[in-house]
Each structure stands twice: as structure tokens, then as C-alpha cells.
Amino acid sequence: MRTALRALPLLVSAALLATAATACTSGDDTPADATSASTPAAPKLTPALSDAQARAVITNYSKINNKANAQRDRALLDTVEDGPTYAMSVSDYTETEGLPKAARKPYKPWSYDISSAKLYIPRFTAGQDRWFAAALSGEKGKDPSRIAVFAERPKDKRWEMSTVVDLDSTKLPDIALDGSGYATAVAATGNKQLAADADVLRTAVIDNFATGGTNTGTKVFAPTRASNQQIKVHEETTRKFGKLGTTTFAGGTNRFKDAYALKTADGGALLLFAHTHTQTDAVAHSGLQINPDKDDNAWLHGIPRTSVTYTFICADAATVPAKAAPSRLIGYRCARTDASGPPVGSARTDRA
């Protein structure tokens, strides 16, 4: 009889207790009416939308999201979600559909508490892609514990949630606001005014998983609960099989390169970005096999494997200083979106 190893993919979230003017454009700190006799007037900056309109976007999101989730309606969900958020939601649908009907938990409707939502609405020039960020709570009366970005899709005349991150704590970043209460969007990539941009942060996050932060993770990030949790995932997961198998992490193909940044009161920025990483479990030698967990049924169909590669899509948030100093990873959220591996070509055995 073959000795069986149990596949234990780590689905982690930085909610340990319970936004670049666009991805490619930068904000402008120059007042819209700043002019001089020798220079042309700066492009006029106007708010992405009003406070009331932003709250209506969030309310509509909760309503449509509930309706889509109840039926696992991907097309309907696609009208209010985009980017990594949509990909992670669809993976949850897929995982649920892989379970026997009796094992599927009844869906419980929810909504974001609009009264406690904190809005960060930037100003943009004509032609720039518009977006805004919001700190949100899913429980009435509770402080916000998530930060989300809603981006406009002009072609479809709608706003969609592009990314959402679970935060380490309810203490929010100190976003810089102008005299009218509007935030300032800054470039998330290639920004020389920041200690690190989205590309550097993404590489460091992946290194936390891949090496425990040895190469760049602990150099780019100061210790935080979120960063420490990623390192803990590396340390515990790579040892879980002992001498019977191995686990390795690596960066994956990232389809979601959009990143968003807001200027903070200290001159730095809050950055929200996405990354993709893989986790590969493999048996140490012939005669061993990995028996997929029931939550893997949608992808692995209960067939024993000699190795399994899981793909995770994640959303991350970090505060970055303007000076050369470590950044702080303040939250992240991951979902398994795929799993594959070669079958052993034999009947399933009992789990170890």
C-alpha cells in the first residue's frame, strides 16, 4: 500500500483577527489653478466622483455581489468586480462547485457598512482613468478592516471593485487630504519620489513566500504582522511533509499589473497591488502519493498525485516612505485559483 501525504495548500489572509492615478498614470500635486505669466495653465483636476456617488457605488456593489454569489453567477459578478478581486471570487465559486452538494455551506448575505466607510477620492484630469479607494467594514458599528479600490469602466458605464485587501488592524494609513477633503493619486510604478514602487514591493512579497524573506523581503519590509505571516507560511509549509516530501514557493505569471497609490501625510504613499505565486508539493520518492483534499476536488478530482502545483492570486497593501527606509506591508489576501499535477496512476489510498 502506498503511503499517503495530505495536500495542505495554504489559503491565507492578513485579516489575522476575524490607490497611481491609474496603473499607468500619476497624480499631480500642482493646484489646478496654478499659473504664471510664462507657463501654461496646469490641466484642470476634477474629483473622480462625489462622496454620495461613491457611497452609491459601494451600496450597489454589495447588492449585486450578494445576488451573484447566491447563484455563483459569474456574468453578473463581472459587472461589479474586476482584476484580482474577480479572479479570487470565481475561484471560490469553482471550489464550492467541486464539493458534493451536501457539503456546500448555505450562502449568507452581507453588505459593507456605508456609515463607517472612509472614502479617499482623488482628482483627475480629463482623459485619465478614474478610481477611488475606500476603507470598509462588513459589520455595522465596527471600524473599517479592509481597503478596496473601485475603478471606472467608461465603456460599460459602471464602477467595479478592482482590488480589496484585509488589513492587519483597524488603524488606517494617514492619507493626505486637501482643503476640500480630496486625496492625491500618485504613480505606483516608476515613482522616484518613493522608497519603493509596486514592482519592488511585489518582488519582496513573493520572496517572503519563496525564501522566508531572505533575499529581498526582510530588506524591503520592516517587520509587520502581514509580512511576518507570509514568512511563517514559508517556514511552516516547507516543513510540513518532513522527509516524505517537499514544498517550494515561486513567483507565478501575474495577469494583474495594475497598481494604485495615494499620497500619505508624511509624503510617502499607500500602495495597493497584486501578485501571483505558486506552491508545489512533491513526494520525496516513488511509493508515496499526495491525496488531494476535498477542497481540491474542482481541480484535482480526488485523483492521487506525485506532485501538485497550486496557484495563488493575492492582493497586497503597503505604506511606503518618501525617504530611503523600509516599507510596511499592512495587509494581504490570497485565494487558490488553480491546482494541477501528474496522477500516480493507481487507486486512492487512505490518508496518512
Side-chain angles (χ1 to χ4, degrees), residues 88-110:
M88 286 189 273
S89 294
V90 168
S91 73
D92 185 63
Y93 290 3
T94 301
E95 182 177 305
T96 298
E97 291 164 350
L99 298 173
K101 290 186 178 181
R104 301 175 189 177
K105 297 180 180 179
Y107 179 70
K108 295 182 179 181
W110 66 281

Side-chain angles (χ1 to χ4, degrees), residues 61 64-66 68-69 74-90 93 110 112 150 153 158-164 333:
Y61 170 79
I64 301 303
N65 180 267
N66 274 311
N69 290 348
R74 291 163 172 79
L76 181 59
L77 183 71
D78 195 30
T79 66
V80 292
E81 287 189 358
D82 195 11
T85 299
Y86 179 74
M88 286 189 273
S89 294
V90 168
Y93 290 3
W110 66 281
Y112 283 125
F150 293 85
R153 303 302 179 224
R158 65 195 185 209
W159 289 79
E160 300 179 359
M161 181 188 281
S162 178
T163 189
V164 60
R333 174 172 173 260

Side-chain angles (χ1 to χ4, degrees), residues 4-346:
L5 282 66
R6 183 177 182 179
L8 295 174
L10 270 290
L11 300 182
V12 292
S13 167
L16 301 180
L17 303 176
T19 269
T22 66
C24 305
T25 60
S26 62
D28 192 340
D29 295 334
T30 305
D33 59 350
T35 61
S36 72
S38 59
T39 59
K44 184 178 180 180
L45 294 168
T46 57
L49 73 182
S50 69
D51 183 285
Q53 289 172 326
R55 293 181 190 277
V57 167
I58 298 169
T59 298
N60 181 68
Y61 170 79
S62 296
K63 176 183 176 181
I64 301 303
N65 180 267
N66 274 311
K67 188 174 180 180
N69 290 348
Q71 302 298 324
R72 293 187 297 280
D73 187 333
R74 291 163 172 79
L76 181 59
L77 183 71
D78 195 30
T79 66
V80 292
E81 287 189 358
D82 195 11
T85 299
Y86 179 74
M88 286 189 273
S89 294
V90 168
S91 73
D92 185 63
Y93 290 3
T94 301
E95 182 177 305
T96 298
E97 291 164 350
L99 298 173
K101 290 186 178 181
R104 301 175 189 177
K105 297 180 180 179
Y107 179 70
K108 295 182 179 181
W110 66 281
S111 65
Y112 283 125
D113 179 23
I114 296 302
S115 64
S116 67
K118 297 185 182 301
L119 305 181
Y120 307 112
I121 302 174
R123 299 175 187 258
F124 299 101
T125 60
Q128 285 185 307
D129 293 337
R130 299 189 300 170
W131 57 270
F132 72 94
L136 302 165
S137 172
E139 296 183 60
K140 193 169 184 62
K142 298 289 186 179
D143 291 333
S145 59
R146 283 183 164 188
I147 287 186
V149 172
F150 293 85
E152 184 185 33
R153 303 302 179 224
K155 181 179 178 181
D156 300 313
K157 297 181 179 180
R158 65 195 185 209
W159 289 79
E160 300 179 359
M161 181 188 281
S162 178
T163 189
V164 60
V165 179
D166 296 323
L167 299 175
D168 273 355
S169 74
T170 55
K171 186 179 184 305
L172 302 174
D174 190 5
I175 304 299
L177 303 177
D178 63 21
S180 299
Y182 293 108
T184 299
V186 296
T189 57
N191 191 335
K192 303 301 182 182
Q193 303 304 311
L194 297 174
D197 69 0
D199 291 335
V200 171
L201 298 174
R202 185 179 293 113
T203 298
V205 164
I206 292 173
D207 185 63
N208 279 346
F209 286 105
T211 73
T214 300
N215 294 332
T216 61
T218 54
K219 296 178 178 65
V220 171
F221 293 121
T224 62
R225 293 181 70 184
S227 188
N228 289 341
Q229 174 67 12
Q230 292 177 345
I231 293 172
K232 183 178 179 180
V233 169
H234 166 84
E235 292 175 346
E236 293 185 350
T237 311
T238 54
R239 297 197 299 260
K240 71 178 188 285
F241 288 146
K243 296 181 179 180
L244 299 178
T246 60
T247 296
T248 57
F249 290 91
T253 300
N254 181 36
R255 296 186 286 124
F256 307 109
K257 298 180 180 180
D258 285 359
Y260 305 86
L262 290 172
K263 184 177 180 179
T264 50
D266 61 3
L270 165 67
L271 271 70
L272 294 101
F273 57 99
H275 84 270
T276 300
H277 70 263
T278 61
Q279 172 190 324
T280 300
D281 295 345
V283 299
H285 55 78
S286 61
L288 300 175
Q289 67 183 46
I290 296 172
N291 287 337
D293 186 87
K294 62 182 178 63
D295 292 332
D296 299 323
N297 283 344
W299 298 283
L300 303 178
H301 314 292
I303 300 172
R305 315 277 169 158
T306 55
S307 69
V308 178
T309 295
Y310 302 95
T311 299
F312 296 87
I313 290 176
C314 309
D316 309 270
T319 54
V320 180
K323 60 183 180 181
S327 300
R328 294 177 57 82
L329 187 70
I330 62 172
Y332 74 101
R333 174 172 173 260
C334 291
R336 172 184 50 201
T337 58
D338 193 20
S340 62
V344 296
S346 63

